[in-house]
Amino acid sequence: MIVKVVESNNELDDAFKVRNTVFVEEQKVPADLEIDEHENDATHFVAYDDRTPVAAGRFRVVDQMAKVERICVLSSYRKTGLGQELMNTIEEQAEKLNLSKMKLNAQLSAVGFYKKLGYETVSEEFMDAGIPHVTMTKEL
């Protein structure tokens, strides 16, 4: 498997396909909330198993931090280490931009995953797209 920074419209479409499968189809997030006004400001990532897109995510620079968003892995690829590989690639890209902090809003079901990667919870629980979340940060 390979995780890469999106460099073409085809790769961006592949990332959107994974996001649609996980967030819209699986988690029932409204499609108009899943694709948002920040797509053009973000650095996007996509992971492939051979030529099949299987994971995706993005980050934006907000307040001198990398704000990580839309992290998703197809259900059949979860618990394979791919999510960690995706996050490592995102963190490496953030470090190349001399960013020293990562921030994300984690679904409660994913808090344990992010804690293992060194993220700490810094907020109370809140709802986003009908799903409970907390904000987490990590120093790079």
Side-chain angles (χ1 to χ4, degrees):
M1 279 187 263
I2 182 171
V3 178
K4 65 184 309 283
V5 176
V6 166
E7 298 174 335
S8 71
N9 286 334
N10 285 341
E11 290 173 349
L12 185 59
D13 287 345
D14 286 344
F16 287 162
K17 285 176 194 166
V18 176
R19 287 171 45 183
N20 186 73
T21 298
V22 173
F23 296 124
V24 178
E25 294 175 18
E26 181 182 327
Q27 297 183 352
K28 307 303 182 209
V29 172
D32 61 331
L33 293 180
E34 205 294 300
I35 300 293
D36 67 14
E37 70 275 14
H38 302 298
E39 303 300 347
N40 292 333
D41 301 326
T43 300
H44 295 267
F45 299 82
V46 63
Y48 291 97
D49 181 358
D50 192 23
R51 292 191 181 124
T52 303
V54 295
R58 73 179 193 194
F59 82 83
R60 298 180 293 126
V61 178
V62 178
D63 298 328
Q64 299 302 308
M65 288 184 284
K67 184 165 189 305
V68 179
E69 302 167 320
R70 306 300 199 271
I71 300 301
C72 56
V73 177
L74 294 181
S75 59
S76 57
Y77 287 84
R78 293 180 196 147
K79 303 205 184 302
T80 65
L82 181 57
Q84 181 173 342
E85 191 176 337
L86 175 63
M87 289 300 296
N88 289 345
T89 302
I90 291 171
E91 290 176 13
E92 288 167 9
Q93 192 68 25
E95 288 176 329
K96 287 179 184 176
L97 297 176
N98 294 316
L99 300 173
S100 59
K101 191 170 188 176
M102 310 290 290
K103 177 181 177 179
L104 55 83
N105 293 331
Q107 293 183 9
L108 287 189
S109 61
V111 166
F113 167 75
Y114 291 114
K115 280 189 175 185
K116 287 179 189 172
L117 298 179
Y119 287 80
E120 297 178 3
T121 302
V122 297
S123 79
E124 297 296 319
E125 182 179 320
F126 61 93
M127 296 299 282
D128 186 10
I131 300 169
H133 286 70
V134 293
T135 299
M136 303 182 81
T137 61
K138 176 181 179 176
E139 301 290 331
L140 292 176

